[in-house]
Amino acid sequence: MSYVQPVNIPAKPSRPPGRPPATDQAARSSAAMAVGTLASRILGFIKGILLGIAVAGTAVADIFEGANNLPNLIFLLVAGGVFNAVLIPQIVKASKQPDKGTDFVSSLLTMGITGLLGLTALVLVLVVPIMTVSTAFTGQQLQLAITFGMFLLPQIFFYGLYSLLGQVLNAHNAFKAYAWAPVVNNVVAIGGLLVFITVAGRTSTTAHTVDNWTTGQSWMLAGSATLGIVVQSVVLLVPVKRLGLNLRPRFGWRGTGLGATARIAGWTMATMVIGNLSFIVILMIATIPTGSKSDSSADSAIPGLYALNRATELYIMPHSIIALSIATVMFTAMARAAARHDSSGLRGSLSNALRTTGVATVFASVALIVLSGPLGMLFSGNKEFAGRQVAITLAILAIGAPFYSINFILNRVFYAQENAKTPFIIQCIMVAIGLGTALAAAALPAPLIIYGLACSYTISNVLGPLVSHQFLRARLGDYGGGLILRAHMRFLAAALVAGAAGEVVLHLFGGSRPDGFMWHSISAAVITLAVVGLVMAGAYVLMLKVLRVGELDAVLTPLTSRLRPSGRR
């Protein structure tokens, strides 16, 4: 997540003609990843809309979401933190060896793939107790969750393969394929949902219930979801081969440096275990409301896991497009700066990262709150009550969106310094807070549990940066907290003006009336979003210009240069 050069350095170092500076290279890579992530998120939007058209507002939707959450949770629980945060510095070090890291990466992939195969096989054998322990489903709902699990749990292996290959590519500054592979995944999943809607019917006209669900429907819904993950990982084999590392199976670990990786991984593993065990508890709480839904009824006014997941996907989108793209691209450079013990460079890069991402995430938070109604309707399957469930959940979650990105970036500094112990301590603190608030939500009446969990997420997201800041400041010193705070205050002022303008226009579309235009259908929601969103974006950019916010250019310039035709750059 690092930046090679902070924006407040007025002059760039000289360089040979035709050779771009590291900052320019990073900007282009960041832009390429942001565009790829944006394309993936747009397709993910379409996939979510189609899933809503297929099963929104039903108990089946909640059961599918519960089963579909587990592969990623189990992968992250066992190995995700090691793959995503620890391996890049080790691969970078290995790439300086005479063999360019061939032995290290060969051993890494051999060990990783072998472990993933064993883990996936074990999970499939234990699918019944896993579903029983991790969800609150019972009876026919539990049986359907187990069926879904048989289709979905093989994703664990392919999540791991995608992450392993992606980190090898990132460590060699080959970012594009890793960012664009999820696009293929979404295309496959969209195809599967279109087949489901065509063959089985849409939720607004066909009653999809636990009682009448068929194996064929499971193949179409869950099978296509897993096929997308398979394709997402397999497509990365081509760019990895192009690295020219001459990779091969290698079962001997000695002399490869994997011992150092294992020592660092120990703390990271502990961090992920603590965090994801808490999410399994949250998953169980989130499935409690589904038990109040009838197995024979297609509609339910009680919000469930489907509403929580759709709202979570929406509020996390600004982070995924901006903060995550920047962090992934710059993490390699940050690791190199840490290896040089360049604390000043780390501090400047961190300050730059937080201010640059804040331009997008602060506005996104306000925009998500204002537009929560029409956004919820996108995933409603044309059921107004389902749209309101997503909207209320989203409005609560959106408050914590900027804080989530801030905390993510702060913690990446520790990993760049190969310090995995401090994030573990921070995680323990945040898990204690998160579990306390989640358990409080579980005590609420069934119709309020999902909203209570959304409040739990927001409280944790807001407190997270405060905790991380204390640890980071003690280790790194002052990284420009006053400058960062003043910048975010300007972002917030501009966003609130834009939000007020959006509320005025939204009122014209019936946002404040139960029978208003935007609540009529998905198409009405799309029109509302297009008009109100453009008004808000225009007002925000105008206010940023008035307030002379320089960080806006830092966000827009790489993206506009990337989208501009090559002959005009």
Side-chain angles (χ1 to χ4, degrees), residues 378-510:
L378 291 181
F379 305 100
S380 67
N382 284 319
K383 295 178 177 178
E384 182 265 345
F385 74 88
R388 289 190 183 275
Q389 291 171 359
V390 177
I392 295 171
T393 309
L394 174 59
I396 298 170
L397 290 172
I399 297 170
F403 301 94
Y404 181 89
S405 294
I406 291 171
N407 197 45
F408 178 86
I409 292 173
L410 292 178
N411 276 268
R412 282 304 173 271
V413 177
F414 297 116
Y415 288 116
Q417 297 174 315
E418 298 188 14
N419 170 19
K421 181 178 179 179
T422 301
F424 170 75
I425 297 171
I426 294 171
Q427 183 77 306
C428 289
I429 296 171
M430 298 315 303
V431 164
I433 295 171
L435 283 179
T437 53
L439 291 172
L444 296 171
L448 299 179
I449 287 177
I450 294 301
Y451 304 144
L453 284 176
C455 291
S456 171
Y457 283 14
T458 296
I459 292 170
S460 295
N461 286 337
V462 171
L463 294 179
L466 301 178
V467 175
S468 297
H469 167 75
Q470 298 302 320
F471 284 90
L472 188 59
R473 186 181 175 87
R475 185 177 181 89
L476 194 61
D478 182 15
Y479 50 86
L483 178 63
I484 295 167
L485 182 60
R486 287 193 298 273
H488 278 75
M489 289 299 99
R490 285 183 293 168
F491 304 155
L492 180 59
L496 289 175
V497 172
E503 280 290 351
V504 171
V505 180
L506 190 68
H507 181 76
L508 301 176
F509 285 87

Side-chain angles (χ1 to χ4, degrees), residues 223-270:
S224 62
T226 296
L227 180 60
I229 303 299
V230 173
V231 176
Q232 172 182 278
S233 60
V234 170
V235 296
L236 292 186
L237 292 173
V238 175
V240 168
K241 185 177 182 181
R242 289 175 180 170
L243 293 176
L245 295 178
N246 192 28
L247 300 175
R248 63 199 182 281
R250 192 173 190 275
F251 290 93
W253 316 127
R254 291 185 178 180
T256 62
L258 283 173
T261 301
R263 287 190 294 272
I264 299 169
W267 285 111
T268 307
M269 282 285 292

